[in-house]
Amino acid sequence: MTSLTETVRAGRTAEVIGLLGAMTATERRSLFPELKALRKELRATRWNEPSRRAYPALYVAGVACQTGAAGVASWIAAADMRWSGVSPAVLLRVLADRETGWLADLANRLAQRPATAQVPYELMSALVRLADCPAPTTDAYVRGWVRQVRGNWRRGNTLLERLRTDPDLVPLVTALFEVNDIGGLLEWTSDEGPDSWHEALARLTLEGPLDRRATVDSCVARLLRGGTNADHRAFLRVLTSLALTREEQRERVADWAALASDAVSPVASHAQAVLGALALDGQLPHRHLAEVSGAVLFRPERKLVRAQLVLLGKVLARDAAAADELLPAAAQAFGHEDAGVQERALKLAQRHAKKVHSAEVRADLALAAEQLIPSLRVQAVRSLGAAPAEAATAYEEVLPPVPEPARLAPAAASVVELAEEVGAALASDTDVTGFERALDGLVRHAHRDRDALLQALEPVISRQWWDGTDPFHGLRLEYQFGGVRGGFDTSAGLDLLVVTLRGKLSTATLRAAIRPGARDQTCGHDALSQAFDARLWEVAYRVRTDPLPFLLSTPTWSTGLLEPDELVERLDAYRRLGARVSAADFAQALLRVRRGDRSVAAAAAQRAAALDTAEGRRLAHWLTAGAPVLPTIRRRTSESPALVESGELPELQEDFPDAFRALGRPSSAFTKGRYCSHWSGTPRPHWPTVLPELRELVAVRVLPDLTAAAMDDTRGAASVLPLLAESGGEAGKATHLCVAYGLGARHPEDRLAAVDALLVLAARGQLDSSRLGADLGQLVRHGAVKPLRLAESLRTAASTGAYATVWALLGHALPPLLCELAADGPAGPVRGLGDLLAVAAECAERSGARGDLPHLARAADRRGSSRLVAEARRLRGALAPEAAA
């Protein structure tokens, strides 16, 4: 080892620089292999004290001892070197003797690295100055430049003044419009004036350093390209600060039309305003205005659509000859989802219909009027000559097919096939059926030939972090599995068995995990989690000490149900093999065995008793005890959010292991644990299979998660709802309240899962519309569910063809909300109530619902033309079409 390497290892950076300065280029190059070897050594222990001390000196030495610019760039940008803490000035000191062409090459190579490499901008820009080369215009360099210019506020001058003196202003500003997701940097401060990017760029176009036409073109092109919301805001501010003249606006009519049609709402609104000003000044041909209007009126944003209808009305009022071209465009709003927009468009057409000269245009207007809601179409028959609506045909509800549970395939017959399944499950969590098959396969093959199984699993094991000789991994395994929290999911559960097979987990740890005794309940999920985990721990312990031939509790169906005859056959096989039953495995089998069909259960009970084993007799007693009976489920509504709690279930308290007895203990809505370790939600899909005929007990315990999805904006909790809907047992208060919260969840994927559950319950005939509707009304009334989210969920459900189902829900949800509105409650109208009324009106129209909705008349008779009033009138007309006519 040379003195340089020893000095690097000691971390004496200044001394390293002195040694390097006394060497020739050839001597430096000859030392680089030693530095590479030292780097490889330090990577294994990057965060210990000797490594942290050596890295800064190693960083500098590696830069100085390489000849090629590509190698130096890779060394500087390497992830393990990123946190060395060496300043750019130190690196420049050891690079200063290189040729300018080499420095330029290095600067460009560093600039081409992704921004995530975090190459210091100070280093790149200093290399550019030393090499006297053009500034790179890459993503990383431009981002660094923006941060540097913005961050120099300590010099006391403004951003505008700093940009004026920048020698690379023009190429970097040009590149600024090409960088994606840079709007957040440009909006770092909300300052106005010369210390803001938009004002500074606008001033520079006036003063001359920046070409105005090129800047305007770049800004418009950037908005047309799209991007993040921050990008849109930032570049829209730049565009408005440029204060385009009327001539500049007129030159870009096609661009404004494209932005008004497809850009995000703020940008589209600006483009719409520009086109509107041109149209009112007579500088936009009617044909172009009609084309733009057709695109804008197709957008869902009501504000944009209303503004476009107002613009069309103004142009038609000024120029009667435009009616033939503009009214057909306005008629495209007849099909808008908002009844208020339809009404505005109809009034516009009625007001100017006499100005139409073409018979073809009149016919087109009459045809377009067929898209209007029924109450407006009646008006169009008289004013536009639309054809009367045909007599409604009998409505037929469309619900999804009742989901059929899938039968689990047998465990993999060969160890090779099993290893492939386990590897796939560990790489990405498989579903419940895949997990149960893989688990049973590991147990079966560990019993048959443990060595062959381990050999087949070798490619899978070699990819796991814990496989190796590092003693730290063993300690981490003991800590991770010995004190596991949060419950096993698919990958962790299978990992436990693979780790056990590999001999990486001590028998003492496994024995401690299955030690009898009640465990502390830190949150409402623990009862489900501990029951699920207990089987895995006991199976892992038996794999180490007394392997099981197979699992008794592997379900027959994807819902977790186990057929009684199949369980009897498994117990008979255990008897013939003389195998000792695992208590937790047998307990889970009892909870999964299907008892709902009494004749099948009774016949299986006789065969189980004939086995003359303790487990056979226990199964016979369990099957003849009757179908599963729910404990008392109470709804608590005195506080928000609304929750439920369950009473005691005695049959789960007797003859079950300690880990399972908590399932039958009371669950209180107001007893919150000190700590919930199931925040990731990954074990949640397995919980319905713990109690496949008692889904209400599962729903009671996952309800707080659904509450948080609606009120605290958490993500992922509703993924359990379709599983609950497909599960067995009564769908009662807890299940319906879970669905209610899911329909108002913050994230779209959660709301979609709740819609799936709603439709499955309806298809199975298990949906209580009055209960769920009342829950929804109460949750909206107390602010636990936002009506706009609920409206989106119910609109999605209705669009599948379930209009009558959704109307039945809203028929019970709306009256309490309309009651407060009619009474002019202190809080005023519920925000988003108009959207709920719109969904209700569409469902009533399509399903042919008739009757009276309490308090609707008071809402419909309110003054004004708000969406709430318009949709209330629409709904009243749908429920009583004769009165509306």
Side-chain angles (χ1 to χ4, degrees):
M1 182 183 296
T2 64
S3 59
L4 175 66
T5 306
E6 292 175 351
T7 307
V8 168
R9 189 183 292 276
R12 298 194 292 270
T13 305
E15 189 175 338
V16 167
I17 295 174
L19 290 173
L20 292 170
M23 296 180 186
T24 65
T26 302
E27 289 173 334
R28 293 181 185 178
R29 188 166 55 250
S30 66
L31 294 174
F32 185 65
E34 288 187 16
L35 297 176
K36 287 179 63 177
L38 178 58
R39 179 187 181 185
K40 183 177 180 180
E41 175 189 333
L42 296 180
R43 276 177 175 168
T45 56
R46 189 188 309 178
W47 304 114
N48 65 13
E49 181 61 29
S51 296
R52 293 201 303 271
R53 181 173 59 247
Y55 257 109
L58 176 63
Y59 192 25
V60 174
V63 169
C65 292
Q66 295 187 74
T67 303
V72 174
S74 297
W75 188 274
I76 291 174
D80 60 329
M81 298 292 183
R82 189 176 301 162
W83 308 112
S84 62
V86 176
S87 70
V90 175
L91 296 181
L92 291 169
R93 181 178 173 185
V94 300
L95 292 172
D97 61 343
R98 306 293 179 105
E99 296 179 354
T100 56
W102 189 94
L103 292 174
D105 187 16
L106 176 61
N108 280 281
R109 289 180 182 276
L110 290 175
Q112 289 168 7
R113 294 279 172 169
T116 53
Q118 300 181 17
V119 177
Y121 170 77
E122 294 82 356
L123 175 62
M124 294 186 289
S125 60
L127 290 171
V128 168
R129 290 194 301 272
L130 286 174
D132 193 23
C133 64
T137 56
T138 62
D139 182 278
Y141 196 90
V142 173
R143 288 178 184 276
W145 172 70
V146 170
R147 291 190 182 95
Q148 178 74 8
V149 174
R150 177 71 266 174
N152 280 343
W153 58 271
R154 294 182 181 87
R155 289 164 47 183
N157 51 8
T158 64
L159 176 64
L160 174 60
E161 291 168 337
R162 295 194 291 275
L163 290 175
R164 279 196 187 113
T165 60
D166 195 314
D168 300 314
L169 173 68
V170 174
L172 291 177
V173 168
T174 301
L176 183 67
F177 293 100
E178 300 297 327
V179 176
N180 292 324
D181 196 16
I182 200 170
L185 291 177
L186 300 181
E187 287 190 318
W188 182 73
T189 176
S190 59
D191 293 343
E192 295 293 335
D195 215 31
S196 64
W197 275 97
H198 58 280
E199 288 289 346
L201 294 179
R203 289 284 295 275
L204 290 171
T205 62
L206 290 174
E207 296 173 3
L210 297 178
D211 180 76
R212 180 176 175 82
R213 185 178 186 85
T215 304
V216 172
D217 287 344
S218 296
C219 194
V220 173
R222 185 67 182 80
L223 292 173
L224 285 168
R225 196 176 79 202
T228 64
N229 289 333
D231 284 349
H232 286 121
R233 287 193 304 267
F235 290 109
L236 180 59
R237 293 181 77 185
V238 174
L239 183 62
T240 54
S241 297
L242 291 170
L244 272 60
T245 65
R246 186 53 51 87
E247 180 62 28
E248 289 173 323
Q249 292 175 344
R250 189 167 56 249
E251 291 174 353
R252 297 170 176 81
V253 167
D255 294 331
W256 307 129
L259 290 173
S261 303
D262 300 319
V264 296
S265 290
V267 177
S269 180
H270 175 76
Q272 184 185 48
V274 172
L275 291 172
L278 292 173
L280 293 175
D281 286 350
Q283 298 180 9
L284 183 67
H286 296 153
R287 176 174 55 83
H288 290 166
L289 178 58
E291 292 174 355
V292 172
S293 297
V296 173
L297 294 176
F298 187 73
R299 296 182 64 122
E301 300 97 329
R302 295 190 294 274
K303 183 178 178 180
L304 290 175
V305 173
R306 289 196 296 264
Q308 195 68 23
L309 291 174
V310 170
L311 173 62
L312 289 174
K314 290 179 178 179
V315 175
L316 286 168
R318 293 186 180 192
D319 186 358
D324 282 2
E325 285 188 288
L326 298 185
L327 276 185
Q332 295 188 50
F334 289 171
H336 198 275
E337 64 180 18
D338 186 289
V341 168
Q342 291 189 20
E343 186 175 7
R344 284 173 179 264
L346 178 59
K347 288 181 178 178
L348 177 65
Q350 291 171 331
R351 190 180 308 122
H352 300 283
K354 294 181 180 179
K355 301 175 183 178
V356 174
H357 298 291
S358 170
E360 183 179 355
V361 171
R362 291 196 189 93
D364 289 343
L365 291 175
L367 182 62
E370 295 180 4
Q371 304 175 74
L372 293 166
I373 61 175
S375 59
L376 295 179
R377 185 171 178 180
V378 172
Q379 301 178 32
V381 170
R382 297 191 297 265
S383 59
L384 299 181
E390 298 178 0
T393 57
Y395 171 75
E396 184 176 352
E397 182 84 342
V398 178
L399 292 172
V402 176
E404 295 292 337
R407 179 179 281 273
L408 264 69
S414 69
V415 290
V416 175
E417 182 185 354
L418 174 62
E420 292 176 353
E421 291 183 5
V422 172
L426 290 175
S428 59
D429 277 356
T430 185
D431 58 11
V432 172
T433 58
F435 169 77
E436 292 290 348
R437 285 189 68 242
L439 183 66
D440 188 39
L442 286 171
V443 171
R444 288 175 183 270
H445 287 286
H447 180 266
R448 294 174 189 169
D449 192 338
R450 180 193 184 97
D451 293 337
L453 176 58
L454 278 172
Q455 183 177 357
L457 287 173
E458 188 61 36
V460 177
I461 294 173
S462 64
R463 295 195 297 268
Q464 303 304 306
W465 63 267
W466 45 261
D467 186 52
T469 58
D470 191 337
F472 172 74
H473 290 162
L475 294 174
R476 182 180 168 190
L477 268 174
E478 293 288 340
Y479 173 79
Q480 177 170 323
F481 284 106
V484 66
R485 290 291 182 266
F488 285 114
D489 57 7
T490 296
S491 58
L494 295 178
D495 214 17
L496 173 64
L497 261 68
V498 176
V499 167
T500 302
L501 284 167
R502 188 66 158 181
K504 294 286 186 176
L505 207 58
S506 68
T507 305
T509 298
L510 297 171
R511 186 185 300 110
I514 64 171
R515 185 180 296 120
R519 291 165 173 78
D520 292 338
Q521 301 286 309
T522 61
C523 70
H525 310 106
D526 276 334
L528 294 166
S529 180
Q530 289 178 6
F532 180 75
D533 296 351
R535 179 178 62 136
L536 295 175
W537 280 116
E538 193 163 311
V539 167
Y541 178 72
R542 291 290 299 273
V543 165
R544 171 65 58 80
T545 59
D546 181 15
L548 299 166
F550 52 82
L551 291 179
L552 295 173
S553 59
T554 302
T556 307
W557 304 101
S558 56
T559 57
L561 278 176
L562 172 60
E563 289 297 327
D565 290 339
E566 196 166 338
L567 180 54
V568 173
E569 291 172 4
R570 293 174 186 176
L571 286 175
D572 188 27
Y574 261 66
R575 180 184 59 80
R576 287 185 275 103
L577 292 171
R580 183 167 58 90
V581 171
S582 162
D585 183 37
F586 183 56
Q588 180 61 87
L590 291 178
L591 294 178
R592 284 178 170 173
V593 71
R594 185 164 66 95
R595 296 191 290 166
D597 189 327
R598 301 307 306 143
S599 60
V600 172
Q606 291 181 354
R607 292 191 292 275
L611 296 177
D612 197 25
T613 62
E615 288 78 17
R617 290 188 291 273
R618 174 78 173 95
L619 174 59
H621 174 73
W622 181 256
L623 290 173
T624 55
V629 178
L630 277 175
T632 302
I633 305 290
R634 293 177 295 274
R635 171 80 178 269
R636 294 291 189 180
T637 60
S638 58
E639 298 180 7
S640 182
L643 295 173
V644 294
E645 58 186 15
S646 64
E648 188 173 15
L649 189 60
E651 70 173 351
L652 295 184
Q653 301 293 302
E654 301 172 359
D655 298 329
F656 274 92
D658 293 331
F660 288 81
R661 292 181 181 177
L663 293 170
R665 296 190 185 117
S667 172
S668 173
F670 302 104
T671 303
K672 295 183 179 179
R674 298 181 300 275
Y675 171 71
C676 179
S677 56
H678 307 90
W679 54 269
S680 70
T682 47
R684 198 178 288 123
H686 296 276
W687 292 342
T689 66
V690 174
L691 295 167
E693 284 193 318
L694 290 169
R695 63 175 150 199
E696 277 288 277
L697 292 186
V698 180
V700 166
R701 289 172 168 84
V702 300
L703 180 57
D705 301 336
L706 275 302
T707 304
M711 301 183 66
D712 301 329
D713 296 347
T714 59
R715 185 191 297 269
S719 60
V720 74
L721 290 178
L723 303 177
L724 279 179
E726 295 178 22
S727 192
E730 179 186 344
K733 299 174 183 177
T735 301
H736 281 75
L737 196 55
C738 282
V739 174
Y741 277 114
L743 293 172
R746 162 66 176 83
H747 298 285
E749 62 270 27
D750 284 327
R751 295 198 296 271
L752 190 58
V755 169
D756 288 343
L758 168 68
L759 296 176
V760 168
L761 288 174
R764 298 182 70 185
Q766 297 171 342
L767 179 66
D768 187 334
S769 299
S770 61
R771 168 177 284 164
L772 181 56
D775 285 342
L776 291 171
Q778 183 184 31
L779 295 180
V780 171
R781 185 165 170 257
H782 287 96
V785 164
K786 291 180 171 58
L788 289 174
R789 297 177 186 172
L790 176 59
E792 182 180 339
S793 296
L794 295 181
R795 186 179 292 112
T796 301
S799 65
T800 66
Y803 293 101
T805 298
V806 174
W807 164 247
L809 298 179
L810 288 170
H812 292 90
L814 287 172
L817 305 178
L818 294 172
C819 177
E820 288 197 351
L821 176 68
D824 294 326
V830 175
R831 183 175 179 269
L833 180 55
D835 294 83
L836 286 174
L837 287 169
V839 178
E842 182 179 6
C843 291
E845 290 166 355
R846 291 180 176 268
S847 64
R850 298 291 184 267
D852 179 48
L853 188 68
H855 312 294
L856 176 63
R858 289 280 300 274
D861 290 338
R862 291 166 67 96
R863 289 179 295 179
S865 58
S866 66
R867 189 179 195 204
L868 188 151
V869 174
E871 297 295 350
R873 292 170 182 167
R874 175 188 175 188
L875 178 55
R876 181 173 63 178
L879 295 175
E882 298 81 6

